[in-house]
Amino acid sequence: MNAPLRGTNLSAVQPAEVSLSPAALWPKLTERLTKHRFVHGLLMGRSELPLFCNPLVIFLLNWVLMLVSLSFQITYVSYPSMGMPVLLFALSLGSFLLGYLVARTLLHHWPTRSQTLAYTLNVTRLWQINLLFCVASLLLIGGNWILSGPPPALGDPASYLSYGRFKQVLFPLLVVITVNSMLDASRWRKVLFAMFGIAGMALYITRGLLMVALLQMLFVFALKTRMNRKKLYSIAAGCLALAIVAITLIGNARTAQGVFLEYLQIRHKYFDWPMAYLWLTSYISIPLSNLCWLFAKGSFHGPTLSFLYPLLPSFLTPANPHAYIHNDLSIIDGASTYLAAYALDFSYLGIYLANLLLGVGCGWLMERSLPKNILVAGVFLGCLSFIFFSDMFTPLSTILEFAIQSVVQRECFHWDDTQQKGMVPK
């Protein structure tokens, strides 16, 4: 063996530097975290979408249901004549169509470059984001449990309206987790995420939120799938039946039948109706009846900008300047369709302007968003489906959900640049 060179510092002779990167120490774990799974697909063109994804159809269907259900006069204080409801419908439809047609016409004359409907979904990033939302939701639920006691489903069901803090953040997270679970390629992750979101909403006894999530899931599925229309309509009918069953079960769980009949002032001749019919008919007819009573009995003293209050965090929301109107026994449960705040602030002008802006938004949705902006369009169509009850567009929770879904869509969906025949929306 050769001796080391004279004058050589043996302590300076070191072995080759060993890499301490995570990939070298934990190769399998690193590979799992860095190797993403992708799913490729092709969306249907706008003309191929089912009718229930058309905002104009949703708008008309809502108003037809409101007018028909009000004609039953299911409560003792239902607005007695159909003149005011028909007038509000005519004004709403006229201004909505004006905004809708103007928006579509202008956007049609300002065309954008053709966009492919072929997409690549990053499934790994999707479930990682969903997992992050689950952790955030658990922290909020746990914090509420510590500060306010058990959730309403496990404690006092009557406290569901006032229970806990940061629901404006928690609720959109739970809806997003539930809706986005259906995009996952893994069945077990799909089921687990959906069960987590639904369980979280059930803990807070949020019947309306469950319906919102179910509707958004239906819209996202309809926009993403290439299933034929007949099957889609069958699925939509099944979702509607499931929603009716869900709201009936949850409603019966938190409100005794006798309390329901007395509080909503249901006429005695309807007492033998199944509760499913009573819940559905009353919740569609009463808000329109309330809106009519606002015009019949309300005194309008000028705008107060109260229609902007839902955009504020709950701890910053001022007192409602129109709270006195709900002391009238003709107005039940406070809900007065999507037009209440605008009507109280601006009277008939509020009805006109609100529907005009809604029409513009729906025109934009048809020309620029459908079917490509799947998740954001799902939120918008879900809000539009609830105009019979309240304004779902302006609450801070909805704005946060729009923002969250915009980020998820940008991070997880990628669109092919190469145009192929039959892949350009008509």
Side-chain angles (χ1 to χ4, degrees), residues 121-358:
L121 174 62
N122 189 332
V123 177
T124 304
R125 183 163 296 167
L126 177 71
W127 71 255
Q128 289 174 346
I129 292 175
N130 240 9
L131 185 61
L132 178 64
F133 291 160
C134 287
V135 173
S137 300
L138 281 175
L139 291 175
L140 292 173
I141 293 173
N144 284 336
W145 199 318
I146 294 173
L147 296 175
S148 305
L154 303 178
D156 179 13
S159 68
Y160 71 96
L161 289 176
S162 57
Y163 174 86
R165 293 186 174 185
F166 302 108
K167 289 187 289 187
Q168 291 168 301
V169 178
L170 174 61
F171 286 175
L173 285 177
L174 293 174
V175 173
V176 166
I177 291 168
T178 307
V179 172
N180 293 357
S181 67
M182 63 180 302
L183 299 175
D184 205 310
S186 168
R187 289 186 178 180
W188 69 267
R189 281 200 307 264
K190 184 179 299 187
V191 171
L192 287 178
F193 282 132
M195 289 179 61
F196 177 90
I198 293 172
M201 289 182 276
L203 282 177
Y204 283 73
I205 316 184
T206 54
R207 176 180 50 190
L209 201 64
L210 282 168
M211 290 187 64
V212 168
L214 181 63
L215 272 174
Q216 289 188 23
M217 291 174 73
L218 173 63
F219 287 129
V220 170
F221 176 78
L223 293 174
K224 180 176 176 290
T225 187
R226 297 193 63 80
M227 185 181 296
N228 65 63
R229 290 190 181 186
K230 185 176 180 180
K231 291 183 178 179
L232 276 177
Y233 290 137
S234 299
I235 292 175
C239 288
L240 177 60
L242 179 62
I244 293 173
V245 171
I247 64 173
T248 302
L249 292 176
I250 296 176
N252 292 341
R254 74 184 190 189
T255 306
Q257 183 173 349
V259 175
F260 166 83
L261 297 174
E262 180 181 358
Y263 180 71
L264 296 185
Q265 304 181 56
I266 303 296
R267 292 179 183 271
H268 285 286
K269 66 179 181 179
Y270 294 113
F271 276 18
D272 58 347
W273 276 27
M275 285 299 292
Y277 290 116
L278 288 178
W279 276 112
L280 189 63
T281 307
S282 61
Y283 265 57
I284 294 177
S285 66
I286 288 176
L288 179 58
S289 174
N290 290 346
L291 181 66
C292 295
W293 283 119
L294 292 182
F295 279 95
K297 298 186 176 183
S299 55
F300 304 98
H301 303 291
T304 63
L305 301 182
S306 62
F307 69 96
L308 295 176
Y309 290 176
L311 292 171
L312 300 174
S314 56
F315 55 87
L316 293 178
T317 304
N320 182 6
H322 305 296
Y324 68 93
I325 197 69
H326 299 296
N327 295 328
D328 192 308
L329 295 179
S330 300
I331 297 176
I332 304 174
D333 207 24
S336 303
T337 80
Y338 66 113
L339 297 170
Y342 311 103
L344 288 170
D345 268 351
F346 302 100
S347 188
Y348 288 99
L349 179 62
I351 303 291
Y352 176 83
L353 293 176
N355 283 290
L356 183 69
L357 291 176
L358 182 57

Side-chain angles (χ1 to χ4, degrees), residues 380-401:
F380 189 95
L381 293 174
C383 293
L384 186 63
S385 301
F386 277 87
I387 60 174
F388 70 90
F389 192 73
S390 65
D391 181 11
M392 301 287 290
F393 294 97
T394 55
L396 178 60
S397 58
T398 302
I399 303 301
L400 291 177
E401 188 180 356

Side-chain angles (χ1 to χ4, degrees), residues 347-419:
S347 188
Y348 288 99
L349 179 62
I351 303 291
Y352 176 83
L353 293 176
N355 283 290
L356 183 69
L357 291 176
L358 182 57
V360 170
C362 290
W364 176 276
L365 182 73
M366 287 297 292
E367 289 292 329
R368 290 290 189 265
S369 292
L370 288 177
K372 188 172 180 179
N373 295 322
I374 299 175
L375 299 180
V376 175
V379 179
F380 189 95
L381 293 174
C383 293
L384 186 63
S385 301
F386 277 87
I387 60 174
F388 70 90
F389 192 73
S390 65
D391 181 11
M392 301 287 290
F393 294 97
T394 55
L396 178 60
S397 58
T398 302
I399 303 301
L400 291 177
E401 188 180 356
F402 270 114
I404 292 171
Q405 291 294 55
S406 297
V407 172
V408 174
Q409 191 168 275
R410 186 176 64 250
E411 291 295 320
C412 299
F413 280 88
H414 305 281
W415 305 91
D416 296 345
D417 295 328
T418 304
Q419 296 294 328

